[in-house]
Amino acid sequence: MTSDSHGVQPEPSGTGADEAPAATLSEQLRAAAQRAGIGKVAPGEVPTGHALLTAIGGVRGLIESILPGLGFLVIYTITHELLPSVLAPVALGVVFVVVRAVQRGPVPQAIAGLLGILLSALLALISGRTIDNFIPGIVINSVSALVLLVSLAARWPLIGIVVGLLTNEGSAWRADRAKRRVLTLTTWLWVLLFGIRLAVEVPLFLAGDVALLGALKLLLGVPFYAAMLWVTWLLVRTVYSARSAADVAADGAAPGS
């Protein structure tokens, strides 16, 4: 029997004292920023190889990011056939999801990757052109570059918004000239990353060069992303460390200290 059989009425559903309050929009955005690559290292911390590996998903995330594209490239180079080339990455994506599920690991990341692979494969199978396997990647790079450019045009550089969420300083960085400059620069660097990808991939896509596009896409994928993440960390850390040192010096020189 439940406790209400002794005269104690159960609390209405959804109003119990133990129920966690709903997260605010700011908290949800901060959690999302922490899950992003730059969120794996606090702005004032020294980035390390281990932190960088964690930011790109660890060893497993690295394998899951590279193997499907590598499998596509190898099989296409050997067979020059559409069906096995696009189905091999799908099979690998399914394996990644199953392995995570069996090991009771985080499955959503693997499922998201599988959905992306499935979309690419479907586009290629529907059109009958192997090169169309690369359309989703080109679209993602284009949208990412556009979002970053819009944030810069609005004078709210996206990297600044992310760092503001991570440091709990909100938009205070906009009043600091040094921080604003660095965060604007790092946002431009990410525009450059997506721009380089598009400058390389779009002409090869239009030329229908599947093998070369597949190879360069691998090089401009995780390695290029990791390098840009590292540069971003170093630049952001430099300005935040300098500001922290200046604040400490100012506190020490304050009257009565």
Side-chain angles (χ1 to χ4, degrees):
M1 298 290 289
T2 59
S3 59
D4 57 316
S5 62
H6 299 286
V8 179
Q9 296 297 322
E11 291 189 36
S13 175
T15 61
D18 294 334
E19 184 178 342
T24 64
L25 177 60
S26 176
E27 290 170 341
Q28 292 174 358
L29 290 173
R30 186 166 188 266
Q34 289 173 331
R35 289 193 294 270
I38 194 174
K40 303 301 181 183
V41 171
E45 292 181 2
V46 179
T48 64
H50 176 72
L52 181 62
L53 184 61
T54 301
I56 59 179
V59 174
R60 173 178 284 182
L62 195 60
I63 292 173
E64 292 178 355
S65 297
I66 293 176
L67 266 190
L70 182 60
F72 171 89
L73 180 61
V74 170
I75 292 176
Y76 179 80
T77 302
I78 294 172
T79 67
H80 287 278
E81 295 288 338
L82 167 62
L83 195 60
S85 300
V86 299
L87 290 185
V90 173
L92 285 170
V94 171
V95 170
F96 295 150
V97 171
V98 171
V99 169
R100 281 182 178 262
V102 169
Q103 295 180 345
R104 298 177 183 269
V107 177
Q109 179 181 349
I111 292 178
L114 176 59
L115 291 176
I117 294 170
L118 280 171
L119 177 60
S120 298
L122 284 173
L123 287 174
L125 290 171
I126 290 171
S127 69
R129 297 182 347 130
T130 310
I131 197 74
D132 288 346
N133 182 74
F134 297 101
I135 289 178
I138 291 174
V139 170
I140 289 171
N141 285 321
S142 301
V143 171
S144 299
L146 180 61
V147 169
L148 288 164
L149 286 171
V150 169
S151 75
L152 287 164
R155 302 194 177 211
W156 281 86
L158 188 58
I159 300 301
I161 295 172
V162 172
V163 171
L165 289 168
L166 292 173
T167 58
N168 274 329
E169 68 174 347
S171 60
W173 55 270
R174 301 185 77 240
D176 187 313
R177 188 175 182 182
K179 287 182 180 179
R180 190 174 67 251
R181 282 184 172 181
V182 167
L183 295 170
T184 298
L185 172 62
T186 52
T187 302
W188 274 114
L189 289 176
W190 283 96
V191 172
L192 179 64
L193 178 144
F194 294 115
I196 290 174
R197 286 179 177 175
L198 291 170
V200 170
E201 295 175 10
V202 171
L204 291 173
F205 174 83
L206 295 175
D209 196 333
V210 175
L212 184 55
L213 178 52
L216 291 178
K217 183 177 172 64
L218 284 173
L219 291 176
L220 294 174
V222 175
F224 199 22
Y225 170 80
M228 190 60 70
L229 197 58
W230 187 269
V231 171
T232 301
W233 283 345
L234 291 177
L235 289 171
V236 172
R237 175 181 181 268
T238 298
V239 70
Y240 272 81
S241 296
R243 279 292 175 262
S244 296
D247 290 343
V248 170
D251 290 342
S257 60

